[in-house]
Amino acid sequence: MRTLLEDLTAALGAGAVKGDPLELALYARDASVMEGSAGCVCFPTDAAQVQAVVGVARAHGRSVVPRGSGTGLAGGAVPIGKPGAEPVVVVTTRMNRILSVDAAARTAWVEPGVLNLDLSRAVAHLGLHFAPDPSSQQACSVGGNVANNSGGPHCLAYGVTTAHVLAVEVVLSDGSVARLGGTDPDPTGYDLRGAFVGSEGTMGLATAVLVRLTPLPPAVRTLLADFPSAESAAETVSAVIAAGVVPAALEMMDQRITVAVEDFVHAGFPTDAAAVLLAEIDGLPGGVDAAVATVVELARRHGARQVRVAADEAERALLWKGRKSAFGAVARIAPDYYLHDAVVPRTRLSEVLQRVYEIADANHVGVMNVFHAGDGNLHPLFLFDRRVPGALERVHEAAGEVLRICLDAGGVLSGEHGIGLEKRDYMPLLFSEDDLAAQDALRRAFDPERLFNPDKVLPSGSRCGDIRSLPEGVWV
Amino acid sequence: MGLSRPLADFAAEVGAEGPVAVVGGRTQWDVGGPVAPDARLVSAPAGVVDHQPADMTVRVGAGTTVAELTEALAAAGQFVPLDPAQPGRATVGGVLSVGHSGLRRLRYGPVRDTLLEARYVSAAGRLVKAGGPVVKNVSGFDLCRLLVGALGTLGLLAEVVLRVQPVPAARRWLRGRADPDVVLARLYRPSSVLWDGDSVWVLVEGHPADVAELAGRLAGFAEVDGPPPLPAGGRLSVAPTDLNRFGNERQAGTFLAEVGVGTVHLHDKVTPPSPEPSVLDLNHRVRAAFDPDHRFNPGRRVA
Ligand SMILES: Cc1cc2nc3c(=O)[nH]c(=O)nc-3n(C[C@H](O)[C@H](O)[C@H](O)COP(=O)(O)OP(=O)(O)OC[C@H]3O[C@@H](n4cnc5c(N)ncnc54)[C@H](O)[C@@H]3O)c2cc1C
């Protein structure tokens, strides 16, 4: 019998399959702190080649791990398998064509490897853009966005990825291709498109995506308010939402991250403020003016020292550059960072944030906060140096405690990064056995043999809430 | 506030055996075909459990009427864009299970986007939770979207958490004659654009100044009380860019089309087209995974 590498090479051609240890090591991890090992890595160019890969993987008893750009933070693209049975990693970077754009319908068919920002740039001349804007948008793929149902600052008003995906062409585990969803509003049958979005590569591999494109708003105003305490900033968020204003984006940064960003990009952020809120309002001019006035008034009432409304597009771009450079800024000052992700009801932000600082202090880990405050989506950023013995363990300890307090506050495990490997064993804290069985039933309907990404999202045993009980074949 | 009866009572009533059908307000009882006559009829708990205006979420029993929900949210200036034709009778669970979006889908998105968390009774008679009570959540698979439009064939909705919206400060319905696609292109995020092959109806909502400005863009349109009566025979789902051609091939007044959305309301009954075989097969596998004996709403067909 031929080897896995030989069969894949026969199916895709030399050049499209990698098997040497150095190459494999590149695909053993994503942007999380976890690492696995790949059996082979392949780069198909179309659905037919993906079907061929699925056939070969099945014949060799290997699982298939879909991978876009590898920017995922939950270990979704990390290949897990016992020695000798490592998965085939299928990378979509060579499926990166925009297949068609329909300006009248405001839709586009794209291959999964198209990068998020490239798509928006390609349709900008039509006055359109792809609304989901994860901070990683220069690097992450549309296929990865679909698989993780990714969000971004502007998803507060526009909705996360699932609201912008009309149809997905998927290669299933039996090697067949199915088109889920459609160009019409209510295709017959269950909303399988909706079920697939956010399935983290466990239900099939998306080979083409029909995305909805969004018109650029006629008016946009961006403002920065600075606060003497993180609580007053968080309370302003609740007050804005309660007042019936839904900003396009409402982001919060604490002092530590503001200082780091300011050192890095000089966006003019006040480094002596305990927290800043970055709010963007868009729409028609009347509503925008009224909403800006409401936000300014509420910020002042909650103690904002200064509220700066960007005077022009250049100033607006600079404010956003400050927000979007946060991770780059952190990379300059800490050898490693761990970006957390959890959601609480917006009304609980202030108290939960306070607890996050306490937990970090108690575990002797540095923490910074830059997050999507408008939808209660916290992103504590823990700084560490993985060369220091025990440092990563302390980060995991703190991360686990943060999840517990978020759940206690009525929140959930992830707002946008997904469950993947990282939070898989925390799922029983949020869901009962019956709840998890229902999710497993859905996965079974799509992939009865667990060919795709089998060790992700759902816990396999009864392990509960201990991230250190990682499956065989992973290390952190 | 509070539920008419505990969720566990509902689960016990549904039980683990025998054919069961769930009744809401019977306003869409025929969708998906008749239920088998031997099915036991049950109704979901009703009542608004918890409304958090500053979180923009509300928890309600699935048996609550849409009118009751609307009234509970109105005090805080909020609403849920479910928009059924008969809000006094239609229940929240019924609207979600049928999955028909209201006339403001163009602005507020499909009805499935409003469901954040569902507690439903499974075919094994167990209470199961899907999703979560916050506005942003990717913890696990998206069962909520699967349940919307499932006609109660995967599980019976007991209690749900919905995303709410601020009530717009001003709204205006207008009617006139124009090319519907041109009307759509001229406006920014209208709430509804309807076309019957002759007239166009437009709903604009928002800040009063914006509403006035948008209305001014529509030369020859006059303000009216509301949309025309909806043909209630059946609904077609058409790609929005095909609507114009579709409408021009039909007699004016025999249909009402949601421009930019693609839903067409007709006087006649409509048999939905069958999905392609691979998708049909997936539909059957999903049904088999959730309700292997087809005990829920037997007779109803989703695909
Ligand atoms: C600095 C930084 C900032 C970030 N900011 C955000 C943010 O603001 N919001 C946010 O939501 N996320 C954010 N992320 C996380 C990440 O960028 C997103 O999850 C992104 O969508 C992943 O895309 P990817 O192409 O890198 O996917 P990968 O990491 O390659 O894969 C992610 C998951 O998708 C699956 N997958 C990939 N392609 C396919 C396919 N074609 N078919 C089926 N499954 C597939 C994989 O199996 C895996 O489970 C950030 C990450 C970094 C590093």
PDB file of all heavy atoms in Angstrom, chain A residues 437-458:
ATOM      1  N   ALA A 437     -25.278  16.706  24.285  1.00  0.00           N
ATOM      2  CA  ALA A 437     -25.702  15.601  23.414  1.00  0.00           C
ATOM      3  C   ALA A 437     -26.427  16.157  22.187  1.00  0.00           C
ATOM      4  O   ALA A 437     -26.288  15.636  21.072  1.00  0.00           O
ATOM      5  CB  ALA A 437     -26.609  14.636  24.177  1.00  0.00           C
ATOM      6  N   ALA A 438     -27.182  17.229  22.375  1.00  0.00           N
ATOM      7  CA  ALA A 438     -27.905  17.827  21.241  1.00  0.00           C
ATOM      8  C   ALA A 438     -26.909  18.419  20.235  1.00  0.00           C
ATOM      9  O   ALA A 438     -27.068  18.275  19.025  1.00  0.00           O
ATOM     10  CB  ALA A 438     -28.864  18.910  21.727  1.00  0.00           C
ATOM     11  N   GLN A 439     -25.875  19.061  20.757  1.00  0.00           N
ATOM     12  CA  GLN A 439     -24.870  19.619  19.844  1.00  0.00           C
ATOM     13  C   GLN A 439     -24.139  18.504  19.108  1.00  0.00           C
ATOM     14  O   GLN A 439     -23.816  18.615  17.927  1.00  0.00           O
ATOM     15  CB  GLN A 439     -23.878  20.500  20.615  1.00  0.00           C
ATOM     16  CG  GLN A 439     -24.574  21.703  21.220  1.00  0.00           C
ATOM     17  CD  GLN A 439     -23.599  22.740  21.744  1.00  0.00           C
ATOM     18  OE1 GLN A 439     -22.529  22.936  21.192  1.00  0.00           O
ATOM     19  NE2 GLN A 439     -23.982  23.412  22.816  1.00  0.00           N
ATOM     20  N   ASP A 440     -23.902  17.424  19.823  1.00  0.00           N
ATOM     21  CA  ASP A 440     -23.232  16.280  19.204  1.00  0.00           C
ATOM     22  C   ASP A 440     -24.124  15.649  18.131  1.00  0.00           C
ATOM     23  O   ASP A 440     -23.631  15.175  17.106  1.00  0.00           O
ATOM     24  CB  ASP A 440     -22.851  15.259  20.270  1.00  0.00           C
ATOM     25  CG  ASP A 440     -21.913  14.207  19.713  1.00  0.00           C
ATOM     26  OD1 ASP A 440     -20.946  14.595  19.030  1.00  0.00           O
ATOM     27  OD2 ASP A 440     -22.164  13.002  19.918  1.00  0.00           O
ATOM     28  N   ALA A 441     -25.438  15.667  18.372  1.00  0.00           N
ATOM     29  CA  ALA A 441     -26.364  15.106  17.381  1.00  0.00           C
ATOM     30  C   ALA A 441     -26.256  15.884  16.070  1.00  0.00           C
ATOM     31  O   ALA A 441     -26.271  15.301  14.983  1.00  0.00           O
ATOM     32  CB  ALA A 441     -27.796  15.161  17.914  1.00  0.00           C
ATOM     33  N   LEU A 442     -26.130  17.203  16.192  1.00  0.00           N
ATOM     34  CA  LEU A 442     -25.997  18.026  14.987  1.00  0.00           C
ATOM     35  C   LEU A 442     -24.700  17.675  14.246  1.00  0.00           C
ATOM     36  O   LEU A 442     -24.679  17.478  13.039  1.00  0.00           O
ATOM     37  CB  LEU A 442     -26.016  19.509  15.367  1.00  0.00           C
ATOM     38  CG  LEU A 442     -25.725  20.488  14.234  1.00  0.00           C
ATOM     39  CD1 LEU A 442     -26.755  20.351  13.117  1.00  0.00           C
ATOM     40  CD2 LEU A 442     -25.702  21.914  14.767  1.00  0.00           C
ATOM     41  N   ARG A 443     -23.630  17.573  14.997  1.00  0.00           N
ATOM     42  CA  ARG A 443     -22.357  17.226  14.351  1.00  0.00           C
ATOM     43  C   ARG A 443     -22.453  15.845  13.687  1.00  0.00           C
ATOM     44  O   ARG A 443     -21.993  15.666  12.557  1.00  0.00           O
ATOM     45  CB  ARG A 443     -21.231  17.202  15.382  1.00  0.00           C
ATOM     46  CG  ARG A 443     -19.984  16.550  14.821  1.00  0.00           C
ATOM     47  CD  ARG A 443     -19.020  16.150  15.879  1.00  0.00           C
ATOM     48  NE  ARG A 443     -18.213  17.302  16.228  1.00  0.00           N
ATOM     49  CZ  ARG A 443     -17.050  17.228  16.869  1.00  0.00           C
ATOM     50  NH1 ARG A 443     -16.577  16.069  17.238  1.00  0.00           N
ATOM     51  NH2 ARG A 443     -16.381  18.290  17.162  1.00  0.00           N
ATOM     52  N   ARG A 444     -23.092  14.894  14.386  1.00  0.00           N
ATOM     53  CA  ARG A 444     -23.215  13.539  13.828  1.00  0.00           C
ATOM     54  C   ARG A 444     -23.982  13.533  12.517  1.00  0.00           C
ATOM     55  O   ARG A 444     -23.671  12.779  11.608  1.00  0.00           O
ATOM     56  CB  ARG A 444     -23.905  12.618  14.833  1.00  0.00           C
ATOM     57  CG  ARG A 444     -22.970  11.804  15.669  1.00  0.00           C
ATOM     58  CD  ARG A 444     -23.661  10.565  16.255  1.00  0.00           C
ATOM     59  NE  ARG A 444     -25.095  10.704  16.462  1.00  0.00           N
ATOM     60  CZ  ARG A 444     -25.668  11.145  17.580  1.00  0.00           C
ATOM     61  NH1 ARG A 444     -24.929  11.481  18.601  1.00  0.00           N
ATOM     62  NH2 ARG A 444     -26.971  11.228  17.678  1.00  0.00           N
ATOM     63  N   ALA A 445     -25.017  14.407  12.436  1.00  0.00           N
ATOM     64  CA  ALA A 445     -25.801  14.458  11.201  1.00  0.00           C
ATOM     65  C   ALA A 445     -24.913  14.884  10.037  1.00  0.00           C
ATOM     66  O   ALA A 445     -25.040  14.377   8.926  1.00  0.00           O
ATOM     67  CB  ALA A 445     -26.974  15.423  11.362  1.00  0.00           C
ATOM     68  N   PHE A 446     -23.998  15.801  10.286  1.00  0.00           N
ATOM     69  CA  PHE A 446     -23.102  16.268   9.229  1.00  0.00           C
ATOM     70  C   PHE A 446     -21.948  15.292   9.001  1.00  0.00           C
ATOM     71  O   PHE A 446     -21.529  15.081   7.874  1.00  0.00           O
ATOM     72  CB  PHE A 446     -22.512  17.639   9.595  1.00  0.00           C
ATOM     73  CG  PHE A 446     -23.358  18.806   9.165  1.00  0.00           C
ATOM     74  CD1 PHE A 446     -24.406  19.250   9.957  1.00  0.00           C
ATOM     75  CD2 PHE A 446     -23.109  19.466   7.977  1.00  0.00           C
ATOM     76  CE1 PHE A 446     -25.183  20.330   9.574  1.00  0.00           C
ATOM     77  CE2 PHE A 446     -23.877  20.551   7.576  1.00  0.00           C
ATOM     78  CZ  PHE A 446     -24.906  20.984   8.379  1.00  0.00           C
ATOM     79  N   ASP A 447     -21.417  14.771  10.090  1.00  0.00           N
ATOM     80  CA  ASP A 447     -20.155  14.015  10.003  1.00  0.00           C
ATOM     81  C   ASP A 447     -20.218  12.820  10.941  1.00  0.00           C
ATOM     82  O   ASP A 447     -19.645  12.830  12.021  1.00  0.00           O
ATOM     83  CB  ASP A 447     -19.002  14.963  10.376  1.00  0.00           C
ATOM     84  CG  ASP A 447     -17.631  14.288  10.296  1.00  0.00           C
ATOM     85  OD1 ASP A 447     -17.553  13.115   9.870  1.00  0.00           O
ATOM     86  OD2 ASP A 447     -16.640  14.939  10.669  1.00  0.00           O
ATOM     87  N   PRO A 448     -20.929  11.765  10.503  1.00  0.00           N
ATOM     88  CA  PRO A 448     -21.187  10.631  11.402  1.00  0.00           C
ATOM     89  C   PRO A 448     -19.910   9.952  11.901  1.00  0.00           C
ATOM     90  O   PRO A 448     -19.905   9.391  12.990  1.00  0.00           O
ATOM     91  CB  PRO A 448     -21.994   9.653  10.545  1.00  0.00           C
ATOM     92  CG  PRO A 448     -22.320  10.343   9.275  1.00  0.00           C
ATOM     93  CD  PRO A 448     -21.519  11.594   9.171  1.00  0.00           C
ATOM     94  N   GLU A 449     -18.850  10.011  11.114  1.00  0.00           N
ATOM     95  CA  GLU A 449     -17.627   9.294  11.513  1.00  0.00           C
ATOM     96  C   GLU A 449     -16.598  10.191  12.185  1.00  0.00           C
ATOM     97  O   GLU A 449     -15.478   9.758  12.442  1.00  0.00           O
ATOM     98  CB  GLU A 449     -16.988   8.639  10.284  1.00  0.00           C
ATOM     99  CG  GLU A 449     -17.852   7.550   9.690  1.00  0.00           C
ATOM    100  CD  GLU A 449     -17.704   7.480   8.179  1.00  0.00           C
ATOM    101  OE1 GLU A 449     -16.592   7.724   7.676  1.00  0.00           O
ATOM    102  OE2 GLU A 449     -18.706   7.206   7.507  1.00  0.00           O
ATOM    103  N   ARG A 450     -16.954  11.429  12.423  1.00  0.00           N
ATOM    104  CA  ARG A 450     -16.011  12.371  13.013  1.00  0.00           C
ATOM    105  C   ARG A 450     -14.720  12.448  12.217  1.00  0.00           C
ATOM    106  O   ARG A 450     -13.617  12.269  12.770  1.00  0.00           O
ATOM    107  CB  ARG A 450     -15.691  11.996  14.465  1.00  0.00           C
ATOM    108  CG  ARG A 450     -16.783  12.371  15.431  1.00  0.00           C
ATOM    109  CD  ARG A 450     -16.207  12.577  16.811  1.00  0.00           C
ATOM    110  NE  ARG A 450     -17.256  13.033  17.725  1.00  0.00           N
ATOM    111  CZ  ARG A 450     -17.012  13.795  18.780  1.00  0.00           C
ATOM    112  NH1 ARG A 450     -15.795  14.178  19.063  1.00  0.00           N
ATOM    113  NH2 ARG A 450     -18.002  14.179  19.553  1.00  0.00           N
ATOM    114  N   LEU A 451     -14.860  12.661  10.922  1.00  0.00           N
ATOM    115  CA  LEU A 451     -13.678  12.805  10.077  1.00  0.00           C
ATOM    116  C   LEU A 451     -13.043  14.169  10.271  1.00  0.00           C
ATOM    117  O   LEU A 451     -11.828  14.307  10.298  1.00  0.00           O
ATOM    118  CB  LEU A 451     -14.078  12.624   8.605  1.00  0.00           C
ATOM    119  CG  LEU A 451     -12.916  12.748   7.615  1.00  0.00           C
ATOM    120  CD1 LEU A 451     -12.119  11.453   7.559  1.00  0.00           C
ATOM    121  CD2 LEU A 451     -13.409  13.129   6.221  1.00  0.00           C
ATOM    122  N   PHE A 452     -13.917  15.197  10.370  1.00  0.00           N
ATOM    123  CA  PHE A 452     -13.418  16.569  10.420  1.00  0.00           C
ATOM    124  C   PHE A 452     -13.150  17.036  11.843  1.00  0.00           C
ATOM    125  O   PHE A 452     -14.048  17.049  12.678  1.00  0.00           O
ATOM    126  CB  PHE A 452     -14.431  17.521   9.761  1.00  0.00           C
ATOM    127  CG  PHE A 452     -14.415  17.446   8.254  1.00  0.00           C
ATOM    128  CD1 PHE A 452     -15.442  16.825   7.562  1.00  0.00           C
ATOM    129  CD2 PHE A 452     -13.369  17.998   7.544  1.00  0.00           C
ATOM    130  CE1 PHE A 452     -15.436  16.763   6.186  1.00  0.00           C
ATOM    131  CE2 PHE A 452     -13.351  17.945   6.149  1.00  0.00           C
ATOM    132  CZ  PHE A 452     -14.384  17.319   5.474  1.00  0.00           C
ATOM    133  N   ASN A 453     -11.921  17.432  12.093  1.00  0.00           N
ATOM    134  CA  ASN A 453     -11.539  18.097  13.342  1.00  0.00           C
ATOM    135  C   ASN A 453     -12.158  17.434  14.579  1.00  0.00           C
ATOM    136  O   ASN A 453     -12.796  18.099  15.405  1.00  0.00           O
ATOM    137  CB  ASN A 453     -11.997  19.565  13.255  1.00  0.00           C
ATOM    138  CG  ASN A 453     -10.888  20.514  13.670  1.00  0.00           C
ATOM    139  OD1 ASN A 453      -9.841  20.089  14.165  1.00  0.00           O
ATOM    140  ND2 ASN A 453     -11.122  21.798  13.509  1.00  0.00           N
ATOM    141  N   PRO A 454     -11.970  16.128  14.738  1.00  0.00           N
ATOM    142  CA  PRO A 454     -12.761  15.355  15.700  1.00  0.00           C
ATOM    143  C   PRO A 454     -12.593  15.753  17.163  1.00  0.00           C
ATOM    144  O   PRO A 454     -13.514  15.564  17.941  1.00  0.00           O
ATOM    145  CB  PRO A 454     -12.275  13.917  15.478  1.00  0.00           C
ATOM    146  CG  PRO A 454     -10.944  14.051  14.828  1.00  0.00           C
ATOM    147  CD  PRO A 454     -11.021  15.293  13.996  1.00  0.00           C
ATOM    148  N   ASP A 455     -11.457  16.320  17.529  1.00  0.00           N
ATOM    149  CA  ASP A 455     -11.237  16.555  18.962  1.00  0.00           C
ATOM    150  C   ASP A 455     -11.623  17.950  19.419  1.00  0.00           C
ATOM    151  O   ASP A 455     -11.249  18.353  20.519  1.00  0.00           O
ATOM    152  CB  ASP A 455      -9.768  16.304  19.294  1.00  0.00           C
ATOM    153  CG  ASP A 455      -9.403  14.845  19.056  1.00  0.00           C
ATOM    154  OD1 ASP A 455      -9.961  13.984  19.760  1.00  0.00           O
ATOM    155  OD2 ASP A 455      -8.616  14.560  18.130  1.00  0.00           O
ATOM    156  N   LYS A 456     -12.355  18.671  18.578  1.00  0.00           N
ATOM    157  CA  LYS A 456     -12.637  20.056  18.912  1.00  0.00           C
ATOM    158  C   LYS A 456     -14.081  20.274  19.396  1.00  0.00           C
ATOM    159  O   LYS A 456     -14.962  19.484  19.110  1.00  0.00           O
ATOM    160  CB  LYS A 456     -12.383  20.958  17.687  1.00  0.00           C
ATOM    161  CG  LYS A 456     -11.055  20.746  17.007  1.00  0.00           C
ATOM    162  CD  LYS A 456      -9.871  21.105  17.884  1.00  0.00           C
ATOM    163  CE  LYS A 456      -8.559  20.565  17.316  1.00  0.00           C
ATOM    164  NZ  LYS A 456      -8.182  21.168  16.044  1.00  0.00           N
ATOM    165  N   VAL A 457     -14.254  21.367  20.107  1.00  0.00           N
ATOM    166  CA  VAL A 457     -15.538  21.918  20.541  1.00  0.00           C
ATOM    167  C   VAL A 457     -16.249  21.107  21.634  1.00  0.00           C
ATOM    168  O   VAL A 457     -16.560  21.635  22.694  1.00  0.00           O
ATOM    169  CB  VAL A 457     -16.520  22.163  19.364  1.00  0.00           C
ATOM    170  CG1 VAL A 457     -17.779  22.879  19.854  1.00  0.00           C
ATOM    171  CG2 VAL A 457     -15.857  22.985  18.252  1.00  0.00           C
ATOM    172  N   LEU A 458     -16.519  19.829  21.370  1.00  0.00           N
ATOM    173  CA  LEU A 458     -17.264  19.048  22.362  1.00  0.00           C
ATOM    174  C   LEU A 458     -16.330  18.129  23.137  1.00  0.00           C
ATOM    175  O   LEU A 458     -15.521  17.422  22.547  1.00  0.00           O
ATOM    176  CB  LEU A 458     -18.342  18.213  21.675  1.00  0.00           C
ATOM    177  CG  LEU A 458     -19.394  19.018  20.922  1.00  0.00           C
ATOM    178  CD1 LEU A 458     -20.426  18.094  20.295  1.00  0.00           C
ATOM    179  CD2 LEU A 458     -20.078  20.018  21.848  1.00  0.00           C
TER     180      LEU A 458
END
